[in-house]
PDB file of all heavy atoms in Angstrom:
ATOM      1  N   GLY U   1      -0.679   5.721  11.590  1.00 98.00           N
ATOM      2  CA  GLY U   1      -0.762   5.816  10.134  1.00 98.00           C
ATOM      3  C   GLY U   1       0.023   4.721   9.435  1.00 98.00           C
ATOM      4  O   GLY U   1      -0.440   4.144   8.445  1.00 98.00           O
ATOM      5  N   VAL U   2       1.209   4.411   9.947  1.00 97.00           N
ATOM      6  CA  VAL U   2       2.026   3.361   9.343  1.00 97.00           C
ATOM      7  C   VAL U   2       1.324   2.011   9.444  1.00 97.00           C
ATOM      8  O   VAL U   2       1.316   1.224   8.487  1.00 97.00           O
ATOM      9  CB  VAL U   2       3.423   3.319  10.008  1.00 97.00           C
ATOM     10  CG1 VAL U   2       4.174   2.039   9.645  1.00 97.00           C
ATOM     11  CG2 VAL U   2       4.236   4.542   9.593  1.00 97.00           C
ATOM     12  N   ARG U   3       0.722   1.714  10.600  1.00 97.00           N
ATOM     13  CA  ARG U   3       0.034   0.428  10.760  1.00 97.00           C
ATOM     14  C   ARG U   3      -1.167   0.331   9.829  1.00 97.00           C
ATOM     15  O   ARG U   3      -1.404  -0.711   9.207  1.00 97.00           O
ATOM     16  CB  ARG U   3      -0.383   0.240  12.222  1.00 97.00           C
ATOM     17  CG  ARG U   3       0.803   0.077  13.161  1.00 97.00           C
ATOM     18  CD  ARG U   3       0.380  -0.431  14.519  1.00 97.00           C
ATOM     19  NE  ARG U   3      -0.413   0.537  15.258  1.00 97.00           N
ATOM     20  CZ  ARG U   3       0.092   1.503  16.027  1.00 97.00           C
ATOM     21  NH1 ARG U   3       1.403   1.646  16.132  1.00 97.00           N
ATOM     22  NH2 ARG U   3      -0.694   2.328  16.684  1.00 97.00           N
ATOM     23  N   GLU U   4      -1.930   1.419   9.718  1.00 98.00           N
ATOM     24  CA  GLU U   4      -3.079   1.428   8.808  1.00 98.00           C
ATOM     25  C   GLU U   4      -2.615   1.258   7.361  1.00 98.00           C
ATOM     26  O   GLU U   4      -3.205   0.503   6.578  1.00 98.00           O
ATOM     27  CB  GLU U   4      -3.848   2.737   8.960  1.00 98.00           C
ATOM     28  CG  GLU U   4      -5.012   2.922   7.997  1.00 98.00           C
ATOM     29  CD  GLU U   4      -6.353   2.529   8.565  1.00 98.00           C
ATOM     30  OE1 GLU U   4      -6.753   3.057   9.612  1.00 98.00           O
ATOM     31  OE2 GLU U   4      -7.028   1.682   7.919  1.00 98.00           O
ATOM     32  N   TRP U   5      -1.539   1.944   7.012  1.00 98.00           N
ATOM     33  CA  TRP U   5      -1.000   1.880   5.641  1.00 98.00           C
ATOM     34  C   TRP U   5      -0.558   0.455   5.304  1.00 98.00           C
ATOM     35  O   TRP U   5      -0.928  -0.095   4.259  1.00 98.00           O
ATOM     36  CB  TRP U   5       0.173   2.843   5.513  1.00 98.00           C
ATOM     37  CG  TRP U   5       0.781   2.915   4.137  1.00 98.00           C
ATOM     38  CD1 TRP U   5       1.740   2.093   3.630  1.00 98.00           C
ATOM     39  CD2 TRP U   5       0.453   3.843   3.100  1.00 98.00           C
ATOM     40  NE1 TRP U   5       2.045   2.455   2.344  1.00 98.00           N
ATOM     41  CE2 TRP U   5       1.269   3.521   1.994  1.00 98.00           C
ATOM     42  CE3 TRP U   5      -0.429   4.913   3.006  1.00 98.00           C
ATOM     43  CZ2 TRP U   5       1.218   4.254   0.803  1.00 98.00           C
ATOM     44  CZ3 TRP U   5      -0.481   5.642   1.814  1.00 98.00           C
ATOM     45  CH2 TRP U   5       0.333   5.303   0.736  1.00 98.00           C
ATOM     46  N   ASN U   6       0.215  -0.143   6.186  1.00 98.00           N
ATOM     47  CA  ASN U   6       0.737  -1.486   5.911  1.00 98.00           C
ATOM     48  C   ASN U   6      -0.374  -2.517   5.808  1.00 98.00           C
ATOM     49  O   ASN U   6      -0.316  -3.428   4.977  1.00 98.00           O
ATOM     50  CB  ASN U   6       1.747  -1.893   6.987  1.00 98.00           C
ATOM     51  CG  ASN U   6       3.037  -1.103   6.893  1.00 98.00           C
ATOM     52  OD1 ASN U   6       3.332  -0.483   5.871  1.00 98.00           O
ATOM     53  ND2 ASN U   6       3.811  -1.101   7.957  1.00 98.00           N
ATOM     54  N   PHE U   7      -1.389  -2.383   6.633  1.00 98.00           N
ATOM     55  CA  PHE U   7      -2.537  -3.289   6.552  1.00 98.00           C
ATOM     56  C   PHE U   7      -3.227  -3.151   5.196  1.00 98.00           C
ATOM     57  O   PHE U   7      -3.650  -4.145   4.589  1.00 98.00           O
ATOM     58  CB  PHE U   7      -3.526  -2.979   7.674  1.00 98.00           C
ATOM     59  CG  PHE U   7      -4.754  -3.851   7.678  1.00 98.00           C
ATOM     60  CD1 PHE U   7      -4.726  -5.114   8.256  1.00 98.00           C
ATOM     61  CD2 PHE U   7      -5.947  -3.417   7.107  1.00 98.00           C
ATOM     62  CE1 PHE U   7      -5.847  -5.921   8.265  1.00 98.00           C
ATOM     63  CE2 PHE U   7      -7.073  -4.216   7.108  1.00 98.00           C
ATOM     64  CZ  PHE U   7      -7.029  -5.479   7.690  1.00 98.00           C
ATOM     65  N   SER U   8      -3.307  -1.923   4.709  1.00 98.00           N
ATOM     66  CA  SER U   8      -3.997  -1.670   3.437  1.00 98.00           C
ATOM     67  C   SER U   8      -3.260  -2.270   2.248  1.00 98.00           C
ATOM     68  O   SER U   8      -3.870  -2.503   1.194  1.00 98.00           O
ATOM     69  CB  SER U   8      -4.166  -0.161   3.227  1.00 98.00           C
ATOM     70  OG  SER U   8      -4.922   0.412   4.269  1.00 98.00           O
ATOM     71  N   LEU U   9      -1.965  -2.527   2.387  1.00 98.00           N
ATOM     72  CA  LEU U   9      -1.177  -3.071   1.276  1.00 98.00           C
ATOM     73  C   LEU U   9      -1.344  -4.574   1.102  1.00 98.00           C
ATOM     74  O   LEU U   9      -0.909  -5.127   0.085  1.00 98.00           O
ATOM     75  CB  LEU U   9       0.310  -2.771   1.495  1.00 98.00           C
ATOM     76  CG  LEU U   9       0.716  -1.303   1.621  1.00 98.00           C
ATOM     77  CD1 LEU U   9       2.223  -1.196   1.830  1.00 98.00           C
ATOM     78  CD2 LEU U   9       0.296  -0.492   0.396  1.00 98.00           C
ATOM     79  N   ARG U  10      -1.948  -5.246   2.094  1.00 97.00           N
ATOM     80  CA  ARG U  10      -2.053  -6.706   2.021  1.00 97.00           C
ATOM     81  C   ARG U  10      -2.789  -7.123   0.746  1.00 97.00           C
ATOM     82  O   ARG U  10      -3.833  -6.594   0.407  1.00 97.00           O
ATOM     83  CB  ARG U  10      -2.832  -7.246   3.230  1.00 97.00           C
ATOM     84  CG  ARG U  10      -2.126  -7.068   4.546  1.00 97.00           C
ATOM     85  CD  ARG U  10      -2.978  -7.534   5.728  1.00 97.00           C
ATOM     86  NE  ARG U  10      -4.367  -7.185   5.541  1.00 97.00           N
ATOM     87  CZ  ARG U  10      -5.340  -8.067   5.280  1.00 97.00           C
ATOM     88  NH1 ARG U  10      -5.060  -9.345   5.208  1.00 97.00           N
ATOM     89  NH2 ARG U  10      -6.580  -7.663   5.119  1.00 97.00           N
ATOM     90  N   GLY U  11      -2.203  -8.093   0.055  1.00 96.00           N
ATOM     91  CA  GLY U  11      -2.845  -8.641  -1.135  1.00 96.00           C
ATOM     92  C   GLY U  11      -2.661  -7.832  -2.405  1.00 96.00           C
ATOM     93  O   GLY U  11      -3.142  -8.230  -3.462  1.00 96.00           O
ATOM     94  N   MET U  12      -1.973  -6.697  -2.328  1.00 98.00           N
ATOM     95  CA  MET U  12      -1.786  -5.877  -3.530  1.00 98.00           C
ATOM     96  C   MET U  12      -0.729  -6.500  -4.438  1.00 98.00           C
ATOM     97  O   MET U  12       0.278  -7.031  -3.972  1.00 98.00           O
ATOM     98  CB  MET U  12      -1.348  -4.457  -3.156  1.00 98.00           C
ATOM     99  CG  MET U  12      -2.435  -3.591  -2.566  1.00 98.00           C
ATOM    100  SD  MET U  12      -1.868  -1.864  -2.420  1.00 98.00           S
ATOM    101  CE  MET U  12      -3.324  -1.091  -1.714  1.00 98.00           C
ATOM    102  N   GLY U  13      -0.951  -6.396  -5.741  1.00 98.00           N
ATOM    103  CA  GLY U  13       0.039  -6.795  -6.730  1.00 98.00           C
ATOM    104  C   GLY U  13       1.006  -5.654  -7.010  1.00 98.00           C
ATOM    105  O   GLY U  13       0.879  -4.555  -6.454  1.00 98.00           O
ATOM    106  N   ASP U  14       1.956  -5.903  -7.903  1.00 98.00           N
ATOM    107  CA  ASP U  14       2.993  -4.909  -8.172  1.00 98.00           C
ATOM    108  C   ASP U  14       2.435  -3.555  -8.606  1.00 98.00           C
ATOM    109  O   ASP U  14       2.870  -2.510  -8.117  1.00 98.00           O
ATOM    110  CB  ASP U  14       3.949  -5.433  -9.248  1.00 98.00           C
ATOM    111  CG  ASP U  14       5.017  -6.358  -8.677  1.00 98.00           C
ATOM    112  OD1 ASP U  14       4.956  -6.673  -7.467  1.00 98.00           O
ATOM    113  OD2 ASP U  14       5.913  -6.764  -9.442  1.00 98.00           O
ATOM    114  N   ARG U  15       1.487  -3.565  -9.521  1.00 98.00           N
ATOM    115  CA  ARG U  15       0.981  -2.286 -10.036  1.00 98.00           C
ATOM    116  C   ARG U  15       0.225  -1.511  -8.958  1.00 98.00           C
ATOM    117  O   ARG U  15       0.355  -0.282  -8.860  1.00 98.00           O
ATOM    118  CB  ARG U  15       0.072  -2.522 -11.251  1.00 98.00           C
ATOM    119  CG  ARG U  15       0.735  -3.185 -12.437  1.00 98.00           C
ATOM    120  CD  ARG U  15       1.846  -2.334 -13.028  1.00 98.00           C
ATOM    121  NE  ARG U  15       1.371  -1.111 -13.627  1.00 98.00           N
ATOM    122  CZ  ARG U  15       2.153  -0.187 -14.189  1.00 98.00           C
ATOM    123  NH1 ARG U  15       3.471  -0.362 -14.213  1.00 98.00           N
ATOM    124  NH2 ARG U  15       1.648   0.914 -14.714  1.00 98.00           N
ATOM    125  N   GLU U  16      -0.524  -2.223  -8.128  1.00 98.00           N
ATOM    126  CA  GLU U  16      -1.231  -1.552  -7.030  1.00 98.00           C
ATOM    127  C   GLU U  16      -0.238  -0.984  -6.020  1.00 98.00           C
ATOM    128  O   GLU U  16      -0.426   0.120  -5.497  1.00 98.00           O
ATOM    129  CB  GLU U  16      -2.167  -2.537  -6.339  1.00 98.00           C
ATOM    130  CG  GLU U  16      -3.316  -3.027  -7.204  1.00 98.00           C
ATOM    131  CD  GLU U  16      -4.005  -4.235  -6.599  1.00 98.00           C
ATOM    132  OE1 GLU U  16      -3.338  -5.278  -6.432  1.00 98.00           O
ATOM    133  OE2 GLU U  16      -5.210  -4.129  -6.284  1.00 98.00           O
ATOM    134  N   LEU U  17       0.830  -1.733  -5.755  1.00 98.00           N
ATOM    135  CA  LEU U  17       1.852  -1.248  -4.827  1.00 98.00           C
ATOM    136  C   LEU U  17       2.557  -0.017  -5.386  1.00 98.00           C
ATOM    137  O   LEU U  17       2.822   0.945  -4.653  1.00 98.00           O
ATOM    138  CB  LEU U  17       2.863  -2.352  -4.545  1.00 98.00           C
ATOM    139  CG  LEU U  17       2.370  -3.507  -3.675  1.00 98.00           C
ATOM    140  CD1 LEU U  17       3.356  -4.673  -3.722  1.00 98.00           C
ATOM    141  CD2 LEU U  17       2.166  -3.050  -2.228  1.00 98.00           C
ATOM    142  N   LEU U  18       2.861  -0.034  -6.667  1.00 98.00           N
ATOM    143  CA  LEU U  18       3.504   1.129  -7.274  1.00 98.00           C
ATOM    144  C   LEU U  18       2.597   2.357  -7.204  1.00 98.00           C
ATOM    145  O   LEU U  18       3.069   3.472  -6.958  1.00 98.00           O
ATOM    146  CB  LEU U  18       3.869   0.835  -8.730  1.00 98.00           C
ATOM    147  CG  LEU U  18       4.996  -0.184  -8.960  1.00 98.00           C
ATOM    148  CD1 LEU U  18       5.151  -0.478 -10.453  1.00 98.00           C
ATOM    149  CD2 LEU U  18       6.317   0.329  -8.382  1.00 98.00           C
ATOM    150  N   ALA U  19       1.293   2.150  -7.392  1.00 98.00           N
ATOM    151  CA  ALA U  19       0.355   3.270  -7.311  1.00 98.00           C
ATOM    152  C   ALA U  19       0.257   3.802  -5.888  1.00 98.00           C
ATOM    153  O   ALA U  19       0.220   5.021  -5.663  1.00 98.00           O
ATOM    154  CB  ALA U  19      -1.023   2.830  -7.811  1.00 98.00           C
ATOM    155  N   ALA U  20       0.225   2.899  -4.910  1.00 98.00           N
ATOM    156  CA  ALA U  20       0.182   3.329  -3.512  1.00 98.00           C
ATOM    157  C   ALA U  20       1.468   4.066  -3.152  1.00 98.00           C
ATOM    158  O   ALA U  20       1.441   5.106  -2.475  1.00 98.00           O
ATOM    159  CB  ALA U  20      -0.025   2.123  -2.600  1.00 98.00           C
ATOM    160  N   ALA U  21       2.610   3.522  -3.589  1.00 98.00           N
ATOM    161  CA  ALA U  21       3.891   4.175  -3.312  1.00 98.00           C
ATOM    162  C   ALA U  21       3.926   5.569  -3.919  1.00 98.00           C
ATOM    163  O   ALA U  21       4.396   6.531  -3.287  1.00 98.00           O
ATOM    164  CB  ALA U  21       5.036   3.330  -3.860  1.00 98.00           C
ATOM    165  N   GLN U  22       3.409   5.707  -5.155  1.00 98.00           N
ATOM    166  CA  GLN U  22       3.420   7.014  -5.814  1.00 98.00           C
ATOM    167  C   GLN U  22       2.563   8.021  -5.061  1.00 98.00           C
ATOM    168  O   GLN U  22       2.915   9.202  -4.962  1.00 98.00           O
ATOM    169  CB  GLN U  22       2.932   6.874  -7.262  1.00 98.00           C
ATOM    170  CG  GLN U  22       3.155   8.109  -8.115  1.00 98.00           C
ATOM    171  CD  GLN U  22       4.629   8.494  -8.207  1.00 98.00           C
ATOM    172  OE1 GLN U  22       5.514   7.641  -8.197  1.00 98.00           O
ATOM    173  NE2 GLN U  22       4.907   9.791  -8.266  1.00 98.00           N
ATOM    174  N   LEU U  23       1.447   7.542  -4.508  1.00 98.00           N
ATOM    175  CA  LEU U  23       0.598   8.414  -3.705  1.00 98.00           C
ATOM    176  C   LEU U  23       1.378   8.965  -2.519  1.00 98.00           C
ATOM    177  O   LEU U  23       1.330  10.156  -2.214  1.00 98.00           O
ATOM    178  CB  LEU U  23      -0.633   7.626  -3.223  1.00 98.00           C
ATOM    179  CG  LEU U  23      -1.634   8.370  -2.338  1.00 98.00           C
ATOM    180  CD1 LEU U  23      -2.289   9.521  -3.092  1.00 98.00           C
ATOM    181  CD2 LEU U  23      -2.708   7.404  -1.830  1.00 98.00           C
ATOM    182  N   ALA U  24       2.136   8.099  -1.857  1.00 98.00           N
ATOM    183  CA  ALA U  24       2.944   8.541  -0.722  1.00 98.00           C
ATOM    184  C   ALA U  24       4.069   9.464  -1.171  1.00 98.00           C
ATOM    185  O   ALA U  24       4.376  10.462  -0.500  1.00 98.00           O
ATOM    186  CB  ALA U  24       3.512   7.329   0.012  1.00 98.00           C
TER     187      ALA U  24
END
């Protein structure tokens, strides 16, 4: 799960990262 998650974050900007973090 961690490897899949980290791969999915590639290329994300700050707002996308904050949204992904909030989901977690």
Side-chain angles (χ1 to χ4, degrees):
V2 166
R3 293 194 292 274
E4 176 96 56
W5 182 275
N6 290 343
F7 180 82
S8 300
L9 301 180
R10 293 176 321 109
M12 286 189 180
D14 278 5
R15 299 297 294 179
E16 294 166 298
L17 288 168
L18 291 174
Q22 191 59 33
L23 179 64

